[in-house]
Amino acid sequence: MAYRRTETVVARLNETRERIVAAALTLVAQHGYGGTGIPAIAAEAGLSTGALYRYFPSKAELFDEVFRRASQREIDVCAAAAQNPGSATTRIAHVVEVFALRAMKGRRLAWALLAEPVDALVEADRRRYRAPYRDIFRALIEDGIRTGELPQQDAMLAASAIVGALVEALLGPLAPQAKKTDQEHLIRDLALFCIRAVSARDKR
């Protein structure tokens, strides 16, 4: 007869797995991927290194889970920000501000999520996880077009450009060796740039 895990055993395994991911996320937020090793994660989670590998066979798989969890959390926050009342441009600016402010407040984790050299598994998810941000901005731009607040434009293209601009603009300030940045000025200018990008009307 095949062994079937009881609900208690399954719950304990799931709890341990969650503890490992939480420990890894805590350390990555402090030290980045490069500064976080499996022995340190195991110690933070209260496990032996061997026990940890029973849940995550490789460091890449564990870090990919950390990336997906942390990225989804940020996406959810931005999606909620997009639901705030106000015009399309007001909401676009608000999402930009939320995204940038959270990145600047959690610089080490944001750098890990956006730019730190990683295993190919994480890099593939990094590309995929830009799509939800694009879709948030696309929906806002489409709302603005429907109400006449924004001019006719390719909403998907504009949204993709906004996401690309946000990431590129933050790479310098988020880099580990970067000097202190005027966060308020940076975030305000980013929001203004994005609003201007989608509000400009064709004068040709």
Side-chain angles (χ1 to χ4, degrees), residues 39 48 71 77 81 111 119-120 137 143 152 154 174:
S48 68
S71 293
V77 170
W111 177 255
D119 182 89
F137 286 112
D143 281 349
Q152 285 293 329
D154 185 330
L174 290 175

Side-chain angles (χ1 to χ4, degrees), residues 1-20:
M1 180 181 295
Y3 169 71
R4 295 182 61 185
R5 292 171 174 171
T6 65
E7 290 184 4
T8 301
V9 170
V10 170
R12 186 170 66 249
L13 292 172
N14 289 338
E15 187 278 330
T16 302
R17 192 176 192 278
E18 291 299 309
R19 198 165 76 243
I20 292 169

Side-chain angles (χ1 to χ4, degrees), residues 62-119:
L62 174 54
F63 279 176
D64 188 53
E65 181 66 19
V66 168
F67 173 85
R68 288 189 283 112
R69 295 285 187 93
S71 293
Q72 190 60 55
R73 182 177 64 190
E74 299 306 312
I75 289 166
D76 291 344
V77 170
C78 287
Q83 299 305 312
N84 274 21
S87 66
T89 52
T90 296
R91 287 182 288 152
I92 289 169
H94 184 53
V95 175
V96 170
E97 290 163 357
V98 167
F99 180 92
L101 182 60
R102 288 177 65 84
M104 295 304 295
K105 283 188 173 181
R107 287 178 54 180
R108 197 65 191 82
L109 179 58
W111 177 255
L113 295 178
L114 295 176
E116 184 176 358
V118 289
D119 182 89

